[in-house]
Amino acid sequence: DTGVSQDPRHKITKRGQNVTFRCDPISEHNRLYWYRQTLGQGPEFLTYFQNEAQLEKSRLLSDRFSAERPKGSFSTLEIQRTEQGDSAMYLCASSSGLSEQYFGPGTRLTVT
Amino acid sequence: RKEVEQDPGPFNVPEGATVAFNCTYSNSASQSFFWYRQDCRKEPKLLMSVYSSGNEDGRFTAQLNRASQYISLLIRDSKLSDSATYLCVVTVNQAGTALIFGKGTTLSVSS
């Protein structure tokens, strides 16, 4: 499968714990995006990388959130001191330049 | 006011029906426009881009009215497999990076 992959697919954590998600984009894609989707809403943009550079961050990305793409390939999204309001589907997407963004299957986070 | 607004539905239609979805966007500087489809518990997938001249892909027709800041999607001859949530999407910055999604409109096609 050469699509966008995300790991884990599901994560249940207790409030206050840290979690980290991984995204592997389509191999030739230089752009990588993170979105968050809650029930009944469309996805909301969090941040985007071009190669290893993080070029844009939404105001939704509080200081508890950090994203990296160290070698311009896979990316990680870490949430520190999780809160119940962080429960959502975290979607990763990749694209080659301004072409179509292809989404991964998402990581569903439940904070108890 | 939300940047992209859609009627959430649900739209319940029989097979063969024609159904239209509407969407409005608030930022007149919006650059690009799309319809995405999202099946239950799946990721969004691009259905079609939307151009001012209008565009058609089989049973699907999309229209853009920049003056009214309005986007539409028409589905003709609905199939059971068209049942999904349809997301109206715009980009607002010069680089065309972040996709701004509406809440989505849910379509259920029944036999």
Side-chain angles (χ1 to χ4, degrees):
Chain A
D1 186 356
T2 56
V4 178
S5 62
Q6 292 187 245
D7 183 70
R9 295 291 303 278
H10 303 275
K11 178 70 176 179
I12 300 173
T13 192
K14 292 184 178 180
R15 189 175 53 191
Q17 297 296 304
N18 299 342
V19 294
T20 300
F21 310 141
R22 176 177 170 128
C23 170
D24 286 88
I26 294 171
S27 59
E28 64 268 24
H29 284 182
N30 62 337
R31 293 188 175 203
L32 186 149
Y33 311 79
W34 285 98
Y35 294 82
R36 180 178 72 184
Q37 186 174 23
T38 54
L39 197 62
Q41 304 294 319
E44 296 172 294
F45 171 75
L46 293 178
T47 188
Y48 125 82
F49 292 84
Q50 181 162 307
N51 300 314
E52 67 275 10
Q54 188 173 18
L55 297 185
E56 192 174 344
K57 291 196 286 188
S58 161
R59 66 182 184 279
L60 294 175
L61 210 67
S62 76
D63 56 7
R64 296 185 298 106
F65 288 68
S66 62
E68 295 183 342
R69 194 183 183 198
K71 297 182 180 178
S73 56
F74 73 92
S75 175
T76 58
L77 177 69
E78 181 183 17
I79 309 174
Q80 296 181 326
R81 305 181 303 281
T82 52
E83 302 172 356
Q84 287 188 319
D86 296 332
S87 294
M89 176 74 85
Y90 289 84
L91 291 161
C92 175
S94 71
S95 71
S96 176
L98 294 178
S99 67
E100 176 183 350
Q101 292 185 27
Y102 292 84
F103 283 81
T107 294
R108 184 172 296 280
L109 173 66
T110 302
V111 182
T112 62
Chain B
R1 182 183 171 189
K2 294 284 283 183
E3 287 193 73
V4 179
E5 298 208 51
Q6 298 180 246
D7 179 348
F11 284 59
N12 298 304
V13 303
E15 276 185 291
T18 295
V19 61
F21 303 140
N22 303 318
C23 166
T24 57
Y25 59 95
S26 60
N27 191 333
S28 59
S30 296
Q31 300 282 322
S32 304
F33 309 88
F34 310 94
W35 284 100
Y36 272 69
R37 169 188 169 135
Q38 187 170 28
D39 293 299
C40 188
R41 297 187 176 274
K42 298 285 190 180
E43 69 273 21
K45 293 184 179 179
L46 179 66
L47 178 65
M48 58 198 305
S49 300
V50 189
Y51 306 111
S52 297
S53 55
N55 49 304
E56 187 174 311
D57 182 2
R59 298 181 293 107
F60 298 83
T61 301
Q63 294 276 354
L64 167 65
N65 184 320
R66 284 188 181 268
S68 303
Q69 296 179 203
Y70 171 90
I71 306 164
S72 66
L73 177 68
L74 183 76
I75 305 175
R76 292 181 299 279
D77 189 23
S78 298
K79 310 292 184 190
L80 294 175
S81 58
D82 293 334
S83 298
T85 296
Y86 291 83
L87 298 156
C88 179
V89 184
V90 307
T91 65
V92 298
N93 60 33
Q94 291 285 345
T97 52
L99 299 179
I100 310 298
F101 287 81
K103 282 188 177 184
T105 299
T106 299
L107 172 66
S108 178
V109 182
S110 57
S111 59

